[in-house]
Amino acid sequence: MIIAIDGPAASGKGTIARRLAAHYGLPHLDTGLLYRAVARALLDFDHPLGDETAAVRAAQALDRSHLDETRLRGREMGEAASVVAALPAVRAALVDWQRAFARRAEGAVLDGRDIGTVICPDAPVKIFVTATPEERARRRFRELAGRGESVTFEDVLDDIRRRDARDSGRATAPLAVAPDARLLDTTSLDIEQAFRAAVAIVDAAGIAPARA
Ligand code: CDP
């Protein structure tokens, strides 16, 4: 069973995807980490983020050891990831990797921006997780402050709006709701409520594996 979770920044999709994976005993891939890792590699070697050739090389060289979250999670990396993620050749270089992960016999949970539309269009369960920009900015602000980043709420809200516009406006695999995705608006839900709502969607699809 493939569960495809998409949505904008700080919508709660990562937490929901992780918890669904644990609940159903499935492996989980946070595909945002792939784009973050490509951006990290460019910055580490002083390449401009728009250097498509270097970005594709970095994408082709990616392996699990590059997906260490602590180096990839900050505010700067989210912004940089959305710049490299708009390069069509970078997206193309990462498709096979993501599909191979999704094709495991036991199934998988993948979260990102184009899982239900491009990477796994045949996934039997697709959830598009969303929330208002202000609520997402509040969550991201708390998260960044917790990591010790000095940033204002207004900066974070600006980041969220800029990233939404870039991710939705790009020509290749833009952030979009798949026609057969279920919408899950988490604006007024806490993590537990959002998780329960996601489980209800998966269970209603009638293809859930035996619980782990
Ligand atoms: O956690 P957050 O939602 O802030 O970011 P993320 O999921 O780690 O994604 C970072 C950036 O990577 C996004 O703003 C997208 O531009 C890009 N991305 C993408 O284009 N396609 C994906 N499947 C996943 C992420």
Side-chain angles (χ1 to χ4, degrees):
M1 167 173 81
I2 298 173
I3 302 177
I5 313 278
D6 290 301
S11 55
K13 65 184 184 314
T15 306
I16 290 173
R18 241 188 331 276
R19 292 210 42 192
L20 286 177
H23 183 74
Y24 293 108
L26 297 170
H28 168 227
L29 179 63
D30 170 352
T31 63
L33 287 179
L34 304 176
Y35 297 94
R36 286 171 181 261
V38 170
R40 176 84 264 167
L42 292 182
L43 295 175
D44 282 350
F45 292 100
D46 286 330
H47 290 294
L49 289 172
D51 183 338
E52 194 157 31
T53 309
V56 168
R57 256 203 317 273
Q60 287 166 342
L62 273 194
D63 65 46
R64 289 215 147 252
S65 68
H66 297 109
L67 304 183
D68 169 20
E69 294 210 26
T70 47
R71 292 194 69 226
L72 303 178
R73 272 288 156 223
R75 177 180 173 214
E76 182 200 15
M77 293 315 302
E79 175 67 20
S82 88
V83 175
V84 300
L87 301 172
V90 171
R91 305 200 72 83
L94 293 171
V95 166
D96 288 348
W97 210 90
Q98 295 173 82
R99 288 196 179 141
F101 188 94
R103 268 199 305 269
R104 294 149 182 252
E106 71 267 39
V109 181
L110 286 82
D111 76 89
R113 301 292 190 287
D114 62 342
I115 308 304
T117 51
V118 174
I119 302 298
C120 302
D122 297 329
V125 188
K126 300 179 184 178
I127 305 177
F128 191 92
V129 184
T130 187
T132 61
E134 291 75 14
E135 177 56 26
R136 291 187 283 123
R138 268 191 289 279
R139 294 173 186 168
R140 188 50 49 95
F141 176 68
R142 274 199 302 270
E143 180 190 324
L144 292 173
R147 290 169 52 94
E149 289 204 34
S150 94
V151 64
T152 67
F153 173 78
E154 285 69 30
D155 288 340
V156 177
L157 183 56
D158 281 351
D159 286 355
I160 292 262
R161 292 208 161 110
R162 193 173 43 251
R163 208 124 74 79
D164 283 357
R166 193 184 291 128
D167 289 351
S168 305
R170 69 184 174 220
T172 308
L175 172 67
V177 187
D180 51 348
R182 286 284 308 274
L183 260 185
L184 175 51
D185 186 334
T186 66
T187 304
S188 56
L189 303 181
D190 64 23
I191 289 171
E192 196 54 36
Q193 291 168 325
F195 166 63
R196 289 281 146 215
V199 167
I201 292 172
V202 176
D203 286 349
I207 40 103
R211 302 267 154 86

